[in-house]
Amino acid sequence: MTSTVDPVSLPQRTASNDTEIDREALARLLIEIARNVDPDYRARFDGVPTADPRMETLRQLLVSREISELSRVTHLLDEPEQLAAAVGGVLPSAAARASHAQLGEALAPAVERAVQRSIQKSPRTLTDILYPVFLPAIRKSIGEKIDQTFQSLNETLRHIFTWHGLKWRFESWRTGASFSEVVLKHSLIYRVEHVFLINRNSGLLIAHVTADNATSEDPQLISSMLSAIQDFVKDSFNEKEQSGLDTIRFGDLRLWSEVGPFATLVSVIRGNPPEELHEIVRDVLLRIHAECSQALEQFDGDSSQLAGVEAQLQTCVELKQEESNQGFPWLVVAAALLVLIPAGGWFFLSWQSGQRWHAYVSRLETQPGIIVAEQKIRGGQFYIAGLRDPLAADPQSLLSGTQVDPARVHSQWQFYQSLEPEFVLKRLTASLAPLDTVRFSIVDDRIVAEGEAPDTWIDRARAAARELSAGGPVFDISKVRDVSPEARAAERWQAYVSRLGTQPGITVAEQKIRDGQFYIAGLRDPLAADPQALLSGTQVDPARVHSQWQFYQSLEPEFVLKRLTASLYPPDTVRFSIVDSRIIAEGEAPDTWIDRARAAARQLSAGGPEFDISKVRDVSPEARAAEHWQYYVSRLEAQPGIIVAQQTARGGHFYISGLRDPLAADPQALLSGTGVDPARVHSQWQFYQSLDPKFVVKRLTASLTPPKSVRLSIIQGRIVAEGEAPAAWINRAQAAAEQLSADGVVLDVSQLRELDLAELNHLRQAIQTTDIFFSSGKVVPGPEQTPVLDRLADQIKEFAQDARKSGVTARFMLTGHSDATGRETANASISAARAETVRALLKKRGVAPELLLVRGAGTFEPAVPENSQTGSSTNRRVSVTVNLD
């Protein structure tokens, strides 16, 4: 709108001086600013230009951005399409920031009308949307019903013609229930032993409940393995996220899996469960999700917010069905016995008859001179054939006592001559007719003849021995003597002479036989046995014996002992004995008797036995005490590490001093058993280090602490170190040897060898380059890995044994690996399971379990890059690392 006003005339005045304001110029400037702010203002001023380009430039600099934004917003509001696009860009963030309750109330009517119109317009669209959701559930429900029907039909058919089936049909009639229900009641025996609740996203174990008396391994490991198997199946067969394994069977165990939105419930069932159990387990899982859905969705390993879950799971492990203990089916048992008793009786009689026949055949086979070539049973009859020596037992007579019917036995025997020694002996006895003075016997399969016989019989016996078969026993007649009177008399005389030669105090110088007479001469001690009396029992005629004996004093110890006893008259406290041809006197006696005994000892002949009276003690108290003290001093001097410097006995007391090693025996303890009164002993000992090898070895062992592979021994006064040891220990031993050499003790370290681990390193390299490979998703190696496991077990046992011999301890780390397929948590679990499996297989092959350690590396230690041609198959392995302690 244009305004019109009267023209404004500005005063014409100049500034009085330079400091005054030019009012005219200021007025012009303000008018120009007003005109530019309001372009519609058209006031005319005298003397003011209508427009100034500088003011337009100033306006653009100050408000150009605001003018442009105002123009853009005006244009956006005027164009509906652009306004709709702008509102659509900010609507999602606005809806996210809005209150959920208010937004739901505002959108509910519009959404309901939109869905209703969409269904009326195109019902197939809603069907396509709900099809992927409801179809798996419907299919699973129908599948379970079909499995339930087939299970009922299978159990019914399996028991329909059995004794249990007849009993259960009677129970169905009695109770009014269907026959299939009764069959399932008695045949489906099961028990829920474990229930695992596992997070679907992470595979972590949320809760685990175990039934009474049920055993299992680590539940977390089992949970990881189940998650790994589920992931492997989904990744291998491209299954959808909602699907997965629902049943796994292993022997008598079944694993049933029910999948929920946030967790999976796995039941471990022993036995044959009914299909209805699926619905019970599924209801428990639905209740858990209904009560704890938010905690399950946000589960990160902390189960403190899910404390009530175990109570829900406990209802699952209480599910079981045990075999009913109804009354014993006497009618069925009686019917079975009526059939089984006759059949069992016939079978027992047949078996008993066969056992008796085999016992008879075994008895025949043990008989010497009988060889069973063939035996059989046919048509209730017994047939036997073979060879029989005429001197052997009669097979027909051996039937007695076997309870085998002789009428049913048909035998056929061929005669032959057995070379058994007892049969050969019978034939020799029949042909030679030995005399009563000859005895036959069997010794080590040889026939030996002993005794006396005439020459004619001996010649016949030698001829018979030569005629025996080459494969038969040897006939030995070397012990049969000729019975001629001259030979017998000479034999008896030689026996008498031999008897005389063994008699002490008798020396046979000459003996001979001439014209039926016996002559003997020699020396005889008067204390020796009478040669004439020794003739008794020799069957030598004394009238034919002519003897000549010269008396002498024998130096045999027993005769010298008799003479000493007769001359010394020893008291009862002294005992004489002969030890190694020496006469020893022991005991206690007075000084006078000891002096007489010493004189007798000096008077003995130089060639006679020694008379030792050093063990006869003086019976005076002073002498006995001195003797006891000398015994104690001798005992001390014999002890290693003790040096007696001085010892005296004075005024009834004993004084001793010297040096003693701290490792030596205690002198005070050595007084025990010596008879010396400890109160009368005054000792003074100075400690020192003995150079006795025994003590040096003890000090070396304490200071050097040699390894098990090194032995310190004393050989001819030298300390010798033998074995293998590390170089550092050998250097310490050499330094100790140099220190000991200055003291005169030899420590020989020349036989020490530096511990050589070259052979161990070679075997160690072979073990560490061995890998056990697995198929994808498997935790048990295939059969092609069996030779590798066998070789690896042998190498580990050999390495551990060699390491122990070398003084070191070996440990073996089994590391499981996996490829990069699937989720990382599943890969970590399956790698640990592979290592545990290899450990169990090596333990089964004799490897000590304490030597084996396990760990799971997952995908973090690949052998080759995953993108290589053999990456996945090579990385699915278990590697071995050897550690030495």
Side-chain angles (χ1 to χ4, degrees):
M1 174 176 168
T2 304
S3 62
T4 59
V5 294
D6 296 334
V8 178
S9 60
L10 298 175
Q12 301 291 329
R13 183 182 178 185
T14 58
S16 62
N17 53 45
D18 294 337
T19 59
E20 290 184 0
I21 299 173
D22 189 350
R23 297 183 181 276
E24 183 180 354
L26 179 59
R28 293 176 183 273
L29 181 60
L30 291 176
I31 292 171
E32 181 64 24
I33 291 172
R35 183 184 294 127
N36 283 277
V37 171
D38 186 6
D40 295 334
Y41 185 74
R42 300 301 181 183
R44 296 187 303 274
F45 301 96
D46 296 337
V48 178
T50 59
D52 189 347
R54 291 178 300 170
M55 295 305 295
E56 179 64 24
T57 303
L58 178 61
R59 185 175 68 83
Q60 291 294 328
L61 291 175
L62 294 177
V63 295
S64 61
R65 182 179 177 185
E66 286 75 4
I67 294 172
S68 175
E69 286 294 324
L70 183 60
S71 175
R72 186 181 65 82
V73 171
T74 304
H75 184 269
L76 181 65
L77 293 175
D78 293 339
E79 295 291 336
E81 293 182 359
Q82 293 186 10
L83 179 61
V87 172
V90 299
L91 184 60
S93 59
R97 296 182 180 182
S99 173
H100 293 285
Q102 296 176 358
L103 183 62
E105 293 177 359
L107 294 179
V111 172
E112 290 175 358
R113 288 193 299 270
V115 172
Q116 183 178 5
R117 292 178 181 176
S118 176
I119 295 174
Q120 292 175 352
K121 183 178 180 182
S122 178
R124 185 174 181 83
T125 302
L126 181 62
T127 303
D128 294 338
I129 294 173
L130 297 178
Y131 175 81
V133 177
F134 286 103
L135 183 61
I138 296 171
R139 184 170 57 240
K140 184 174 182 180
S141 176
I142 294 174
E144 289 180 359
K145 291 298 180 181
I146 293 175
D147 290 342
Q148 178 180 350
T149 303
F150 276 104
Q151 185 183 38
S152 175
L153 179 62
N154 182 45
E155 295 295 330
T156 302
L157 293 176
R158 189 160 65 91
H159 296 284
I160 193 170
F161 297 113
T162 62
W163 292 108
H164 287 293
L166 295 177
K167 182 179 66 174
W168 294 343
R169 192 171 293 279
F170 174 75
E171 181 180 348
S172 173
W173 171 78
R174 182 172 55 85
T175 59
S178 65
F179 178 64
S180 60
E181 293 178 356
V182 176
V183 170
L184 292 178
K185 172 186 175 183
H186 292 282
S187 61
L188 298 184
I189 308 302
Y190 70 94
R191 177 193 183 196
V192 180
E193 294 190 349
H194 301 273
V195 177
F196 299 86
L197 187 64
I198 304 170
N199 187 272
R200 286 191 61 187
N201 295 327
S202 62
L204 297 176
L205 180 64
I206 299 174
H208 168 236
V209 179
T210 305
D212 296 338
N213 302 325
T215 60
S216 69
E217 299 295 333
D218 184 8
Q220 185 63 54
L221 178 61
I222 297 176
S223 171
S224 301
M225 290 297 301
L226 293 174
S227 300
I229 294 172
Q230 291 277 9
D231 294 339
F232 167 71
V233 173
K234 292 177 181 178
D235 296 340
S236 300
F237 301 102
N238 296 324
E239 287 294 320
K240 297 179 180 179
E241 183 66 24
Q242 293 79 4
S243 61
L245 288 176
D246 58 358
T247 302
I248 300 176
R249 181 170 181 174
F250 183 77
D252 196 31
L253 290 177
R254 285 178 170 84
L255 275 71
W256 281 6
S257 175
E258 292 295 338
V259 181
F262 308 116
T264 301
L265 193 150
V266 179
S267 305
V268 180
I269 308 168
R270 185 178 299 277
N272 188 17
E275 292 296 329
E276 294 91 340
L277 191 61
H278 278 293
E279 299 179 2
I280 300 175
V281 175
R282 191 179 300 117
D283 290 342
V284 172
L285 182 61
L286 291 176
R287 286 199 303 271
I288 292 174
H289 275 80
E291 297 175 2
C292 312
S293 60
Q294 185 175 0
L296 291 174
E297 182 181 5
Q298 300 174 357
F299 181 75
D300 57 355
D302 182 12
S303 57
S304 59
Q305 299 181 0
L306 298 168
V309 171
E310 291 190 358
Q312 298 282 358
L313 299 180
Q314 189 66 34
T315 60
C316 292
V317 298
E318 293 174 357
L319 298 174
K320 61 181 179 178
Q321 179 170 311
E322 300 177 345
E323 189 173 1
S324 60
N325 296 322
Q326 297 182 355
F328 192 77
W330 295 105
L331 182 62
V332 176
V333 173
L337 290 177
L338 289 177
V339 176
L340 293 177
I341 288 176
W346 175 83
F347 176 78
F348 175 75
L349 292 176
S350 300
W351 174 83
Q352 186 182 49
S353 177
Q355 290 296 110
R356 291 171 179 172
W357 169 250
H358 288 301
Y360 168 64
V361 173
S362 300
R363 187 177 180 185
L364 281 180
E365 290 174 342
T366 59
Q367 290 294 321
I370 294 179
I371 299 175
V372 178
E374 183 183 4
Q375 64 87 16
K376 59 184 177 180
I377 304 174
R378 187 174 66 244
Q381 303 294 314
F382 307 104
Y383 299 88
I384 191 166
L387 303 176
R388 171 179 169 247
D389 191 289
L391 298 176
D394 184 6
Q396 199 70 16
S397 64
L398 294 176
L399 278 171
S400 176
T402 62
Q403 297 182 356
V404 177
D405 185 6
R408 298 168 60 192
V409 178
H410 308 276
S411 58
Q412 186 176 3
W413 300 101
Q414 300 292 331
F415 287 110
Y416 83 110
Q417 278 196 353
S418 174
L419 294 180
E420 291 283 340
E422 56 183 299
F423 295 107
V424 176
L425 177 58
K426 289 180 180 179
R427 293 188 181 90
L428 285 175
T429 304
S431 61
L432 293 178
L435 303 175
D436 295 338
T437 56
V438 176
R439 298 178 304 279
F440 283 170
S441 61
I442 299 174
V443 180
D444 297 333
D445 293 332
R446 297 166 61 251
I447 301 174
V448 179
E450 299 177 282
E452 300 175 347
D455 294 341
T456 56
W457 189 90
I458 292 175
D459 293 338
R460 288 173 51 214
R462 288 194 181 100
R466 290 191 297 269
E467 292 174 358
L468 284 179
S469 304
V474 176
F475 183 30
D476 184 6
I477 59 173
S478 61
K479 295 183 179 182
V480 179
R481 298 184 301 277
D482 191 351
V483 294
S484 60
E486 294 77 10
R488 182 172 295 176
E491 182 179 346
R492 292 170 179 170
W493 171 252
Q494 291 300 326
Y496 170 66
V497 173
S498 299
R499 187 178 181 184
L500 282 178
T502 60
Q503 289 296 318
I506 294 178
T507 303
V508 177
E510 182 183 3
Q511 65 87 17
K512 60 183 177 179
I513 303 174
R514 188 174 66 244
D515 299 332
Q517 301 296 311
F518 306 103
Y519 299 89
I520 191 168
L523 302 175
R524 170 177 171 253
D525 190 288
L527 298 177
D530 184 6
Q532 198 69 16
L534 294 175
L535 277 170
S536 176
T538 61
Q539 296 183 0
V540 176
D541 186 5
R544 300 168 61 188
V545 177
H546 306 278
S547 57
Q548 187 177 4
W549 299 103
Q550 299 292 327
F551 286 110
Y552 81 112
Q553 278 196 354
S554 174
L555 296 179
E556 291 284 339
E558 57 183 297
F559 296 107
V560 176
L561 176 60
K562 289 180 180 179
R563 292 187 181 93
L564 285 173
T565 303
S567 62
L568 292 177
Y569 299 106
D572 295 338
T573 55
V574 176
R575 297 179 303 279
F576 283 169
S577 59
I578 299 173
V579 179
D580 296 332
S581 299
R582 296 166 62 247
I583 300 173
I584 297 177
E586 298 176 283
E588 299 176 346
D591 293 341
T592 55
W593 189 91
I594 293 174
D595 294 338
R596 288 172 51 212
R598 288 195 182 100
R602 289 191 295 270
Q603 292 173 1
L604 284 179
S605 303
E610 179 185 353
F611 182 31
D612 182 5
I613 60 172
S614 62
K615 296 185 179 181
V616 178
R617 297 183 299 278
D618 191 351
V619 294
S620 61
E622 295 77 9
R624 182 171 295 178
E627 181 181 348
H628 291 168
W629 172 251
Q630 291 301 324
Y631 170 70
Y632 169 64
V633 172
S634 300
R635 189 176 182 184
L636 281 179
E637 291 174 340
Q639 290 294 322
I642 294 179
I643 300 176
V644 178
Q646 185 180 7
Q647 62 88 16
T648 58
R650 187 172 64 252
H653 288 264
F654 306 101
Y655 301 87
I656 191 168
S657 61
L659 302 176
R660 172 177 170 248
D661 191 289
L663 297 176
D666 184 7
Q668 197 70 15
L670 294 174
L671 276 170
S672 175
T674 61
V676 178
D677 184 6
R680 299 169 62 189
V681 177
H682 308 277
S683 57
Q684 186 175 4
W685 300 102
Q686 298 293 330
F687 285 111
Y688 83 112
Q689 280 196 352
S690 173
L691 295 180
D692 189 282
K694 298 179 183 177
F695 300 106
V696 176
V697 167
K698 290 182 180 179
R699 293 189 179 93
L700 285 175
T701 303
S703 61
L704 294 179
T705 60
K708 296 180 180 179
S709 57
V710 173
R711 298 180 303 278
L712 295 178
S713 56
I714 301 173
I715 301 176
Q716 297 179 352
R718 297 163 60 250
I719 302 174
V720 179
E722 300 176 281
E724 296 181 344
W729 191 91
I730 294 177
N731 293 334
R732 290 173 53 210
Q734 289 173 346
E738 293 175 358
Q739 293 176 0
L740 289 174
S741 62
D743 298 329
V745 179
V746 177
L747 173 58
D748 185 3
V749 295
S750 61
Q751 299 187 35
L752 285 176
R753 300 182 303 276
E754 186 174 349
L755 189 62
D756 184 13
L757 299 178
E759 185 175 352
L760 280 179
N761 289 334
H762 177 72
L763 187 56
R764 181 181 188 177
Q765 184 67 21
I767 293 174
Q768 295 190 151
T769 55
T770 301
D771 290 327
I772 309 300
F773 295 99
F774 296 76
S775 299
S776 178
K778 299 293 185 181
V779 297
V780 178
E784 71 279 359
Q785 297 297 315
T786 300
V788 180
L789 286 168
D790 295 339
R791 182 174 66 256
L792 179 60
D794 294 338
Q795 291 174 341
I796 289 177
K797 290 186 285 187
E798 180 183 356
F799 188 94
Q801 183 177 4
D802 293 344
R804 283 194 297 269
K805 292 179 180 178
S806 301
V808 295
T809 303
R811 294 287 187 273
F812 304 90
M813 175 65 72
L814 305 177
T815 303
H817 306 271
S818 67
D819 55 24
T821 305
R823 289 189 294 184
E824 193 61 46
T825 55
N827 291 332
S829 299
I830 202 170
S831 66
R834 284 169 178 168
E836 286 288 354
T837 301
V838 173
R839 181 177 184 269
L841 293 174
L842 291 176
K843 177 182 176 182
K844 185 178 180 182
R845 286 164 169 80
V847 178
E850 63 269 15
L851 301 179
L852 302 176
L853 308 174
V854 296
R855 60 184 284 262
T859 61
F860 295 108
E861 300 175 10
V864 296
E866 277 292 328
N867 55 7
S868 63
Q869 186 175 2
T870 61
S872 296
S873 60
T874 304
N875 290 332
R876 294 191 298 268
R877 75 194 194 282
V878 170
S879 59
V880 186
T881 305
V882 182
N883 299 317
L884 294 176
D885 299 332

